[in-house]
Amino acid sequence: MSLIRQTLKHFARINGILAKRLLSLDNANVQNRYNNSTSTDDPSQFPGAKAPFVSNLKLIEHTDYDAIPIYRVMDSDGYISDDSQDPQLSKEVVQKMFNDMVQLNTMDKILYESQRQGRISFYMTNFGEEASHIGSAAALEMRDLIYGQYREAGVLVWRGFRIDQFIDQCYGNCDDDGRGKQMPVHYGSKELNFVTISSPLSTQMPQAVGAAYAMKLRPNNDACVVCYFGEGAASEGDAHAAFNFAATLQCPVIMFCRNNGFAISTPSHEQYKGDGIAARAHGYGMATIRVDGTDVFAVYNAMKLARKYVLRENKPVVFEAMAYRVGHHSTSDDSTAYRSADEIEVWNSKEHPLSKLKSYMVRKGWFNENDEKEFVKDVRKKVLKQINVSEKKLKPNWKEMFEGVYSEIPAHLKEQMKELESHINTHRNHYPVKNFQE
Amino acid sequence: MKKSFWPLLNTLKSRTTVPWCRSHFTYYPDKSPKEVISTGNVTEKMNMVQAINNAMDLVLAKDPTAILFGEDVGFGGVFRCSVNLRDKYGKDRVFNTPLTEQGIAGFAIGVANVGSTAIAEIQFADYIFPAFDQIVNEAAKYRYRSGGLFDCGSLTFRAPCGAVGHGALYHSQSPEAYFAHTPGLKIVVPRGPVKAKGLLLACIRDPNPCIVFEPKTLYRAAVEEVPTDDYVSELGKADILRKGKDVTLIGWGTQVHVLLEVAEIAKKEHQIDCEVIDLVSIMPWDRDTVYNSVKKTGRVIVAHEAPLTQGFGAELAASIQEKCFLHLEAPVKRVAGWDTPFPHVFETFYLPDKYRCLAAIKDLVNY
Ligand SMILES: Cc1ncc(C[n+]2csc(CCOP(=O)(O)OP(=O)(O)O)c2C)c(N)n1
Ligand SMILES: [Mg+2]
């Protein structure tokens, strides 16, 4: 009752104001108001939107807006046209960026082939997206929490995930931190603040927002959350939920979209009709930025800016890194069925993030052909050696299958474990027990 | 990517372990399926992918309202089930959707609301859960809650399911029981190409929303002589694939092949005569065939890949003890996946394989 009365009172008050205003206007002015077809400065009182009234009837098309521009620092030849945008990183930092990208690239090539040989069951490469991983990771602090999709191995490389950790996970052996539970490339590291990857797409997005919200509430919070996802994953309902929660609950989270043009075979023009993922931000009331994801410095600068913004404002940013998925979707995919080799070649040569950074380093006099060769050789050797080692390691004890379902193994699972144990004991020759820890 | 690392990798010693290459079943093609006999059709050798493709081809050709869609369906689907169909019927009728299962399901319901035929692919059964609300609260209840004014019976979901040897948590699940718990849905699981085609055609024509869970490990491994013309496999009907008098073995999908092998071993090595039933249809399920068999043998095992607790075996066990109590010589036995998520490197220990099923048979006979 009282609510209705209050509302009525409110209306009466507004009406009074309006009436007074109208009375004070002369006739010509009133006439003018009603004929005017351009916007007035009289904002609406609707709770759902604060906007001016207009009397010209018109659909607003998405093409009425300009596309969000792509920020870049380096061109295809690694040339920086606007010096003010050079992040002025030291030789050591740039060298680490380059080496990490090369390591990722080299590791990917070998592990991809190792799946082809049946050594590991599955693999996904990161070709063409190395700069968006390394550039973004380099701009963050280790205390920032990462939620990934699956094609962000470079972030882990930058943070110090070791070759043996990558390869042990792919083998799911007894030294895999994930305990052999998940498919290859589903990495995770508590130490490196990288939440374990999960296959169902976009599930990490609202989770990242929740984490950011909880972190914001902690006294003196100085860490943000970064959530990586593909432009395909951005179509899931969870992506919408994440954006809307991030905006309404004002969360210090960077929603990092890797727009690589494909979701398996589906090209981005069949995935969305608007201006990519960056343009969605405004619909939700979020800040946004779009960068050239093959330009490591552009990603770096933009990420620095985004990080500063989300922590200063306690508000989210949508970050869209444009690139091209140079490799097949995964080892289960043959992308020649849906795109041309010529198209791939452009992105694998001239537009490849490694070639851009290399050109920059050459110009700086920081590039040594021999050093690079040695570095690649060294990584190859390490990876191959590690494959040999990881392959020989035993898998975790099969009883671990029952661990981690709950915080403690409940009675019914203990019973099932016992049942399996006695079954295995009477059928030892039928189970690969010798490959598993005792 | 171009440069091959084969030579480099070949310098490594040969593999020590490749657990994911082991297949846990031997495929048993149908010898004389009733579908082939009854249609008198010309047959062609097809694997399960080709049989499904053939079924959808027939529907698209005959039914001008039929449309086929899902993630990556346009270029043929990640399992190649819709290959060539976009070229043949155009991209208005065979197309990629944006990547959202709840969108696919809701869209399919709308297509069916206005009487058109929707064939929607969910890329993996493991990814059907974002669509759970649309399927369970909408598709399943449309007719009921509108007093019969509206329905979405002309929609069918296809979703690849089950173990493949290396799929881990999210490329292995068998979620049939979740959906069987929802009144209003029909659920089937084919064991091979003939059934896959017949069931899909039956589901598409059935005036209720249906889900076909296709065991993806059978897509290429299963090859049969499949009638090239139109035919349907009756929904709600189980198949007795092997007659026997001692123990009834009930399964569906890939597990049927495990049970057929187990029955063979039981006969050869233990002189135990098993009757093998492919339940085929999870909802509705064929009570007559199951009860008659159990009343004859007095012993029954239900085996499925999905976890034991609340798996569809639980429903069968409860119903069997209720209806066949006085005929039972031993408790109803379930052999199933353990009550854990589906693990990657432990798959061989997880599955209700032939050794576990055979052990259960011996237990029952010696009860
Ligand atoms: C909920 C869900 N649906 C479908 C899939 C199958 N799937 C795995 S990756 C992928 C494409 C993702 O594309 P995008 O988000 O653009 O990432 P990219 O692979 O390009 O890095 C699909 C459809 C899945 N993993 N989860
Ligand atoms: Mg993509």
Side-chain angles (χ1 to χ4, degrees):
Chain A
M1 263 324 272
S2 73
L3 189 74
I4 293 175
R5 215 173 295 137
Q6 261 178 26
T7 314
L8 283 175
K9 248 196 206 156
H10 181 69
F11 270 115
R13 195 172 57 84
I14 289 174
N15 276 343
I17 294 170
L18 268 181
K20 264 189 224 153
R21 267 174 76 179
L22 280 173
L23 282 174
S24 74
L25 296 165
D26 60 74
N27 267 349
N29 234 338
V30 172
Q31 208 57 31
N32 196 21
R33 277 181 85 89
Y34 286 87
N35 289 343
N36 201 345
S37 62
T38 56
S39 70
T40 72
D41 50 6
D42 183 15
S44 80
Q45 297 300 318
F46 302 115
K50 296 285 167 256
F53 288 103
V54 293
S55 59
N56 61 328
L57 180 63
K58 175 179 180 295
L59 291 176
I60 301 166
E61 297 248 25
H62 75 275
T63 44
D64 293 347
Y65 299 97
D66 289 337
I68 292 178
I70 303 166
Y71 169 73
R72 83 172 181 186
V73 174
M74 275 190 287
D75 67 11
S76 303
D77 303 316
Y79 184 78
I80 298 181
S81 57
D82 179 352
D83 274 339
S84 74
Q85 295 306 303
D86 186 335
Q88 308 282 0
L89 296 170
S90 68
K91 182 182 169 188
E92 288 68 40
V93 172
V94 174
Q95 189 70 54
K96 174 167 162 60
M97 284 177 155
F98 186 77
N99 285 358
D100 280 5
M101 284 162 67
V102 169
Q103 182 192 317
L104 175 63
N105 190 274
T106 309
M107 197 176 74
D108 272 357
K109 283 173 180 160
I110 302 176
L111 285 172
Y112 182 85
E113 286 299 333
S114 83
Q115 192 282 337
R116 284 283 173 255
Q117 290 195 348
R119 290 173 183 276
I120 56 175
S121 63
F122 176 82
Y123 196 69
M124 297 177 108
T125 63
N126 302 275
F127 303 136
E129 299 184 55
E130 293 88 344
S132 69
H133 302 184
I134 301 301
S136 59
L140 296 172
E141 300 294 331
M142 277 298 274
R143 59 182 177 275
D144 298 330
L145 180 64
I146 311 282
Y147 283 81
Q149 178 161 310
Y150 50 64
R151 211 187 297 284
E152 296 90 9
V155 175
L156 278 165
V157 172
W158 180 269
R159 291 199 158 201
F161 206 62
R162 300 183 311 269
I163 288 174
D164 59 294
Q165 290 177 299
F166 280 112
I167 298 178
D168 283 339
Q169 195 285 329
C170 288
Y171 275 94
N173 63 32
C174 58
D175 287 328
D176 164 21
D177 292 331
R179 312 310 301 153
K181 301 271 174 57
Q182 295 210 81
M183 283 171 78
V185 315
H186 289 62
Y187 313 114
S189 170
K190 189 100 191 168
E191 207 190 330
L192 301 178
N193 259 329
F194 190 103
V195 180
T196 300
I197 308 285
S198 176
S199 319
L201 286 168
S202 321
T203 48
Q204 83 281 15
M205 297 177 70
Q207 296 167 10
V209 175
Y213 184 79
M215 283 160 62
K216 171 179 91 164
L217 295 190
R218 292 186 189 152
N220 309 317
N221 174 50
D222 61 351
C224 68
V225 178
V226 181
C227 177
Y228 292 88
F229 58 98
E231 89 293 339
S235 292
E236 290 278 7
D238 271 349
H240 159 69
F243 287 165
N244 205 22
F245 273 57
T248 54
L249 294 165
Q250 309 205 312
C251 302
V253 60
I254 300 170
M255 303 301 290
F256 192 109
C257 179
R258 295 179 296 96
N259 190 334
N260 59 11
F262 291 90
I264 308 187
S265 76
T266 305
S268 50
H269 64 82
E270 291 182 28
Q271 196 64 244
Y272 54 77
K273 277 285 175 276
D275 179 25
I277 310 306
R280 293 185 197 170
H282 289 161
Y284 290 95
M286 286 187 281
T288 191
I289 190 161
R290 171 179 279 161
V291 308
D292 179 349
T294 67
D295 171 353
V296 71
F297 296 143
V299 178
Y300 176 86
N301 285 349
M303 199 65 173
K304 277 267 179 211
L305 178 70
R307 184 177 189 279
K308 226 187 252 161
Y309 173 90
V310 300
L311 283 176
R312 188 186 62 223
E313 307 283 328
N314 270 331
K315 279 183 188 165
V317 167
V318 172
F319 191 116
E320 186 177 28
M322 311 306 293
Y324 185 91
R325 196 195 76 211
V326 171
H328 301 301
H329 169 70
S330 73
T331 47
S332 312
D333 174 47
D334 173 9
S335 65
T336 58
Y338 52 83
R339 58 185 193 176
S340 76
D342 291 349
E343 182 182 306
I344 303 171
E345 194 41 41
V346 176
W347 294 96
N348 201 21
S349 51
K350 188 167 155 294
E351 295 296 337
H352 197 282
L354 267 167
S355 89
K356 290 181 193 181
L357 184 56
K358 181 173 161 180
S359 305
Y360 171 87
M361 290 168 75
V362 168
R363 193 161 302 115
K364 279 270 194 186
W366 290 352
F367 190 80
N368 182 319
E369 199 78 48
N370 245 358
D371 286 356
E372 198 222 342
K373 273 207 188 108
E374 279 306 308
F375 181 74
V376 171
K377 229 167 86 184
D378 184 53
V379 172
R380 257 189 234 169
K381 224 169 78 192
K382 279 187 187 141
V383 172
L384 287 168
K385 202 173 134 215
Q386 189 58 46
I387 287 178
N388 230 335
V389 172
S390 296
E391 194 162 286
K392 289 204 186 86
K393 288 186 191 175
L394 295 174
K395 307 290 185 223
N397 188 317
W398 60 262
K399 285 184 185 165
E400 285 197 30
M401 169 166 65
F402 295 95
E403 289 175 15
V405 185
Y406 301 94
S407 57
E408 281 178 10
I409 305 182
H412 75 283
L413 274 185
K414 278 192 187 139
E415 209 173 281
Q416 292 184 12
M417 188 153 76
K418 254 208 194 120
E419 185 186 331
L420 179 55
E421 185 169 28
S422 82
H423 175 74
I424 289 173
N425 284 340
T426 49
H427 299 82
R428 275 197 97 74
N429 48 335
H430 295 311
Y431 291 90
V433 274
K434 64 174 197 321
N435 301 330
F436 292 75
Q437 284 186 318
E438 278 299 330
Chain B
M1 208 185 85
K2 286 273 161 56
K3 196 166 159 195
S4 178
F5 278 78
W6 275 90
L8 263 171
L9 274 170
N10 284 335
T11 62
L12 287 172
K13 291 215 189 68
S14 68
R15 293 182 299 275
T16 48
T17 56
V18 193
W20 48 84
C21 287
R22 202 179 106 156
S23 176
H24 73 285
F25 68 98
T26 305
Y27 171 69
Y28 285 72
D30 269 12
K31 287 197 201 86
S32 51
K34 55 179 185 265
E35 285 86 353
V36 177
I37 301 161
S38 66
T39 54
N41 260 338
V42 184
T43 64
E44 218 172 78
K45 221 182 198 52
M46 294 185 204
N47 64 26
M48 206 162 98
V49 166
Q50 293 164 323
I52 290 164
N53 182 270
N54 178 240
M56 298 194 293
D57 194 350
L58 286 170
V59 172
L60 287 161
K62 276 193 192 169
D63 174 355
T65 75
I67 57 176
L68 170 61
F69 52 90
E71 292 155 18
D72 302 294
V73 158
F75 92 119
V78 295
F79 290 105
R80 319 307 292 141
C81 289
S82 53
V83 83
N84 293 331
L85 297 178
R86 180 173 61 186
D87 287 345
K88 207 164 163 184
Y89 298 101
K91 59 182 180 8
D92 287 345
R93 297 184 63 202
V94 179
F95 53 91
N96 292 333
T97 63
L99 207 175
T100 162
E101 294 74 17
Q102 71 180 112
I104 293 169
F107 183 87
I109 292 171
V111 169
N113 277 160
V114 296
S116 291
T117 301
I119 310 170
E121 178 176 295
I122 300 292
Q123 200 165 78
F124 285 87
D126 312 68
Y127 302 136
I128 202 168
F129 299 113
F132 204 61
D133 191 38
Q134 285 287 353
I135 297 174
V136 164
N137 274 337
E138 293 300 315
K141 301 172 172 64
Y142 233 101
R143 180 183 293 112
Y144 190 80
R145 72 166 155 79
S146 68
L149 297 181
F150 296 95
D151 70 71
C152 58
S154 56
L155 93 76
T156 302
F157 293 106
R158 296 179 38 246
C161 72
V164 282
H166 48 82
L169 285 84
Y170 304 113
H171 297 85
S172 308
Q173 296 177 65
S174 299
E176 64 274 3
Y178 287 111
F179 294 94
H181 195 58
T182 300
L185 300 172
K186 291 194 176 180
I187 300 143
V188 296
V189 187
R191 67 169 177 275
V194 172
K195 225 56 198 176
K197 177 177 169 182
L199 287 171
L200 181 53
L201 288 170
C203 284
I204 290 170
R205 274 113 193 212
D206 189 88
N208 298 283
C210 298
I211 309 177
V212 188
F213 286 116
E214 300 164 355
K216 55 190 173 293
T217 193
L218 298 177
Y219 274 147
R220 284 163 201 288
V223 180
E224 280 167 354
E225 285 291 330
V226 179
T228 52
D229 260 358
D230 211 316
Y231 66 91
V232 293
S233 301
E234 197 181 337
L235 301 180
K237 267 269 173 287
D239 289 337
I240 301 175
L241 297 178
R242 182 187 171 112
K243 291 262 181 208
K245 59 176 181 14
D246 298 328
V247 184
T248 300
L249 309 180
I250 305 173
W252 49 91
T254 315
Q255 194 64 23
V256 168
H257 303 288
V258 175
L259 295 178
L260 284 167
E261 186 181 355
V262 170
E264 222 169 76
I265 301 170
K267 179 77 188 167
K268 214 159 60 206
E269 294 178 8
H270 307 282
Q271 290 74 51
I272 302 171
D273 214 359
C274 295
E275 179 142 307
V276 178
I277 295 179
D278 176 1
L279 195 64
V280 180
S281 186
I282 307 296
M283 191 55 72
W285 60 277
D286 186 348
R287 286 158 170 81
D288 290 347
T289 300
V290 169
Y291 296 156
N292 287 339
S293 175
V294 176
K295 282 175 185 168
K296 180 175 74 179
T297 61
R299 297 178 178 85
V300 58
I301 292 172
V302 188
H304 54 66
E305 289 179 10
L308 179 79
T309 297
Q310 290 279 35
F312 201 67
E315 178 61 31
L316 292 176
S319 304
I320 290 168
Q321 71 83 24
E322 198 178 323
K323 299 290 180 189
C324 311
F325 189 65
L326 292 177
H327 299 268
L328 288 174
E329 305 282 345
V332 181
K333 176 77 185 162
R334 290 173 292 158
V335 185
W338 307 110
D339 286 337
T340 74
F342 201 111
H344 185 232
V345 302
F346 307 119
E347 178 170 324
T348 37
F349 299 98
Y350 178 85
L351 287 172
D353 64 1
K354 58 184 169 190
Y355 307 109
R356 281 176 59 201
C357 291
L358 191 63
I361 292 174
K362 287 193 267 179
D363 284 353
L364 280 200
V365 170
N366 298 324
Y367 185 77

